Amino acid sequence: MPRKGMRSLCFSPRTPSFSTSRQSTTSDSTASTTNRRRFSQSMIEQTIDAAATIIMKWDADTSAYAKVTSLFYESKREALQFIRSVNELQKTMHLLVSDQDSGSEKLVRAQILMQTAMKRLQKEFYQILSMNRAHLDPESVSTRSSRTSARSSTSDFDDDDEIRTAGDSISEIEEVSSMAMSDLKLIADCMIASGYAKECMHVYKIIRKSIIDEGVYKLGIEKLSSSQVNKMEWDVLDLKIKNWLEAEKISMRTLFTGERILCDQVFATSDLIKESCFTEISKEAAILLFGFPELVAKTKKSSPEKMFRVLDMYSAISEDWKEIETIFSFESTSTVRLQALDSLVRLSESVRSLLMDFESTIQKDSSKTMIPGGGLHPLTNSSMNYLTLLADYSNILTDIISDWPPPAKSTLPASFLFGPDSEDSTAPAISVRFAWLILVLLCKLDGKAKHYKDVSLSYLFLANNLQHVISRVRTSNLQYILGEEWITKHEAKVKQFTSNYEPLAWGEVFASLPDNPTAPITAGKAKDCFRKFNASFENAYWKQRSCIVPDSELREEIKASIATKLVTLYRDFYNTQISTVGDERSARLFVRFSPEDIGNYLSDLFYGTVSSGSSSTSSSVSSHHRRQMIFT
């Protein structure tokens, strides 16, 4: 029966030849498959045996030599052989899994060998990271990377001996760093391909995070609360800000840059792994770094120096913004970018608030002390020191002020609202803001000038203080912010103030002389004119001798203007009427000053003389006052 059944399946009465042919083909195919399988099994066994030889040689559990020796440091050639064997073993395991007819014994053996190999590679990975902490520090990595880029950019100029020499001169540290990075990548690639990425990442994260955390700690970045920062004395906080500025620079140039480069190179084969590692290693430290400026911005410290420290921090972050976006480009590090952005926003808000405080300080200045001699008011000095220092941050301030609404004019007296000081609607916001702050200062000075009982002195006071403002504008970045038109306009105001000063201070002296000094008059009239001139000139001279004009150029202009008018008028009168008063004895009684004397006396004015003695013994104040800084 079996034979009959078999036969009936193999042969058909209708197509006997076809049935016989098919039986023959099936037999040949089975034989071929069997041969290939035998060959494949043989190759698999050879691969596993070869892998076992080198893997077991470096099994630290079974070899005392392997336990105390590093594979990659002992023999780079053997290390490469180890990696190749593991990669081949991995391929073999895939074949065994896909071949359903294969025995599980080979697969089990291969799996045990793979676990042993991964344990070894994990140890090697740890050793390379640990033993090369100095060579793999972020500074070394970032320096090596930048020099490599420099060499690449000059590769087209190999005929230049100097460039070729510079390109070939790699320090020993850089060589070790490069070799270590290459070994780490080799191990990482092998472990990731073998399905042991998690173990590799675990070792990397632990060691590298400790390096970043240690680096940030050494840079002086510490976790602080808002209340802790608020309680700090300004001197302490100021030192911490200075330290942060240096730490931010180093962190962005070396610490985070180097770590990102290292992470990208070691885990080049997997974007997900490099992102996971870099984020876990750097995120916490970076948020700590960029969170400090926000804490400072929120403090209620009102020291004048705070403005400049805030601007320094804003400048540091904004200048490094492209690097921040590049280094922390991963989605998982978006919180770092957001923290840096939050700090920029808070710092800009702080700058605006401090500018408003500065304006308020000027407006609230209630000192009524008269400045002797109509000299510079301390408010003028301190305000212009502050503004000229601010002008050095014009680029940063332009960003901060650009969308800030212009100040409300209603805060100033009506007489100042529609004059030439009103800001141009087309002017840059920063120009409008600085012009406004100076206008607020000038309005305050105008109010202080009204406290002088001597009106001529009030005009001299205004001229001196406005001249100082203009001088500071011309010698600082304020000249570019405010423009030449602003300067010209305010120089005209100084001339207006001095023009108002002259007739008030010297009007009686001019009035003592006749309108036509060369017209013939009687001897009595001449004597009376000389007598009046003597008295009025002495009175004016002693009054004005206590006045001061600190700006040497303005001082000479005022003296020259007075001398040109007065000496010329008096010389004409003197030369015409000296003989009218009588003989030499009579002349000495009525004529006390020659035209040359008048010129000499005038030349001695506006130095702030405090002595009431003669001009030859008078003491004077130098026109070049020592400029007091606003920070003492």
Side-chain angles (χ1 to χ4, degrees), residues 496-547:
Q496 181 184 335
F497 289 145
T498 57
S499 296
N500 291 340
Y501 157 78
E502 282 184 20
L504 290 168
W506 300 91
E508 290 186 9
V509 182
F510 285 107
S512 67
L513 297 172
D515 294 335
N516 185 356
T518 59
I521 56 175
T522 63
K525 184 78 171 178
K527 290 177 182 178
D528 188 51
C529 283
F530 275 116
R531 190 183 298 111
K532 287 181 179 179
F533 178 82
N534 295 338
S536 61
F537 180 77
E538 284 187 0
N539 183 53
Y541 172 75
W542 288 112
K543 262 189 173 183
Q544 301 309 312
R545 199 168 171 224
S546 62
C547 293

Side-chain angles (χ1 to χ4, degrees), residues 150 203 209 249 276 368 430 583 620:
V203 172
K209 190 175 189 306
K249 186 188 304 180
S276 174
K368 295 182 179 180
I430 187 173
D583 56 17
S620 62

Side-chain angles (χ1 to χ4, degrees), residues 34 73 147 155 212 311 345 397 512 553 562 590 597 615 620:
T34 302
Y73 281 96
R147 291 190 184 178
S155 59
I212 293 298
L311 286 169
V345 172
L397 286 169
S512 67
E553 193 172 321
I562 297 170
F590 296 101
D597 291 335
S615 61
S620 62

